Amino acid sequence: MSFTLAIVGRPNVGKSTLFNRLVGRKIAIVDDTPGVTRDRREAEGRIADLQFSLIDTAGLEEGEAGSLSDRMRQQTQRAVEDADVTVMMYDARAGVTPADEHFAKWLRRSNTSVILVANKCEGSAVVDGIYEAYTLGLGEPIGLSAEHGEGLGELYGAIVEALKEKGIDPYEDLDEDEVREGKDKDHGPTEGDMDYEYVDPEDEDEEIRPLRLAIVGRPNAGKSTLINMLVGEDRMITGPEAGLTRDSIAVDWEWNDLPVKLFDTAGLRKRARINEKLEKLSVADTMRAVQFAEVVVLLLDAELGIERQDLRIAEKVVSEGRALVIALNKWDAVDDRLEVTRQLKDTLTRSLPQLKGVKVINFSALTGQGVQRLMPAVAEAYEIWNARIPTAAFNRWLADAMEKHPAPSSGGKRTKIRYGAQIKARPPTFMLFCNRPENLPDSYVRYLENELRHDFNLPGVPLRFVMKKGENPYEGRRRKKK
């Protein structure tokens, strides 16, 4: 990435829509409700041959010191300080508002190069709104439609000019052929090209692939506070208000030379309590983050203990086949720690037997006490999740397990498991070849799963068994009469 581009503006002018357009996929939640974006979001963007680091920001609003609006503004201010070029958007249909004037004045005092963009410029009814923008003192406005991808060519030219004024070569990472090829292409993805997209981690280069770690849990469990403590900066907005995080935010981080992509997610409430469209979008975004992750940390409020909603979240993680670590936050505020630990272990044993041996870590994300134990537990769960068992060793184990406890008969006919093998990792998945797989009860599969966990030391990750009917070489042959 040769430069950084930040998108700023007051709420509901289309910043996230332009962000999705430049990234080429819908990774930021877009809704008519003002103030959907609260934390700054980063991704790789492009316009034709220009490739850059792109930052989406919260809507610029004034508020009292310490208020939510003030914390959102501070996040936007950090994004502007990190950016080489800032795109300030306003709604051309609504025209220039006092809020636009206030923040244009703020941007004029910053060191970043500012490009003024008039969004929602479909049709001729927005001409007056474009002319009004000259009063902002940020130069000539560029009219575009982020929703339909119109005007990206003009934005491309303005970015190149702004970079040249700062002495930055936007093509320093490209050779001449790539530049020439890029200029012949379109200036951005079309509407049909865009969709919610999460890249399968197994499709990426093993040497450069980061460990994908999602932090999930109920609202106000401390997910954003934990990420801020891990990365060592106030990267996420935190506060006493429940539901501050509305969409999944990815943060690149490094732990012990291991690249990690952290995902902060929206709090998950009971489905019956989710009525608003925006919260439904937030929950769907969290579920996509779980599907995208390799390890998931289920964060619990230690003062409240584990509840039914936490168990539902854990079951969802297991059904997606992800490695799980359970973390008890706010441990410093717990009085009877032995009782909380006992209750958690009893509930996990009773309600989540498929995660026998799952790692449980306790800490305080606010003070940092005990947080250093989390990543070693995550690394261990990730290693187990990638475990592979040689076929010969698996079949020796299978023979011993069946000798200790043979598969039950059904209808007077014996069920035989002839052999098996691990067919994939992430999570460990095994295929068993049986003569009557439909007669093999779930209880016996659970017995095999528990034995496999114990004998090969595979605690806390989902294990999957696939039954397949083995071919009988004598089936269909008629016995010859003597």
Side-chain angles (χ1 to χ4, degrees), residues 238-366:
T238 60
E241 305 93 342
L244 283 180
T245 303
R246 283 178 166 172
D247 49 2
S248 299
I249 303 296
V251 179
D252 291 320
W253 179 54
E254 192 171 279
W255 174 75
N256 287 357
D257 297 326
L258 172 68
V260 179
K261 186 175 283 292
L262 288 168
F263 290 90
D264 187 20
T265 62
L268 296 173
R269 298 196 300 163
K270 293 181 180 178
R271 184 177 298 178
R273 296 182 179 178
I274 300 175
N275 298 315
E276 296 181 1
K277 174 189 173 185
L278 178 56
E279 188 170 1
K280 291 179 180 179
L281 291 173
S282 297
V283 169
D285 204 34
T286 297
M287 289 297 99
R288 280 192 292 271
V290 170
Q291 296 168 3
F292 187 49
E294 296 166 314
V295 182
V296 176
V297 172
L298 173 57
L299 195 63
L300 310 179
D301 186 333
E303 294 183 281
L304 301 177
I306 188 167
E307 297 184 355
R308 183 174 298 180
Q309 177 65 4
D310 299 312
L311 295 175
R312 289 198 182 99
I313 298 172
E315 289 172 354
K316 179 65 176 178
V317 174
V318 173
S319 67
E320 293 293 340
R322 303 306 178 226
L324 179 67
V325 174
I326 295 179
L328 285 169
N329 189 24
K330 308 179 185 179
W331 191 245
D332 55 333
V334 176
D335 295 326
D336 193 346
R337 298 183 177 183
L338 289 176
E339 175 61 23
V340 171
T341 303
R342 184 194 61 78
Q343 179 195 14
L344 177 61
K345 289 183 177 180
D346 290 346
T347 304
L348 291 176
T349 301
R350 182 176 63 256
S351 303
L352 288 174
Q354 66 271 42
L355 281 178
K356 187 175 182 180
V358 64
K359 279 282 186 181
V360 179
I361 308 296
N362 49 62
F363 53 74
S364 169
L366 185 62

Side-chain angles (χ1 to χ4, degrees), residues 92-93 118-126 144-150:
R93 295 178 185 173
N119 191 27
K120 306 180 185 179
C121 284
E122 304 90 348
S124 59
V126 296
L144 61 78
S145 170
E147 185 174 359
H148 298 97
E150 299 174 1

Side-chain angles (χ1 to χ4, degrees), residues 80-81 86 103-114:
V80 171
E81 291 171 354
T86 298
F103 293 109
K105 181 178 179 181
W106 172 61
L107 285 173
R108 288 199 301 268
R109 295 196 300 265
S110 67
N111 294 324
T112 183
S113 297
V114 181

Side-chain angles (χ1 to χ4, degrees), residues 202 293-295 321-323 380-387 425-428 461-462:
E202 296 190 18
E294 296 166 314
V295 182
R322 303 306 178 226
E380 182 180 347
Y382 178 73
E383 184 177 355
I384 296 173
W385 189 63
N386 283 279
R426 310 163 65 89
V461 299

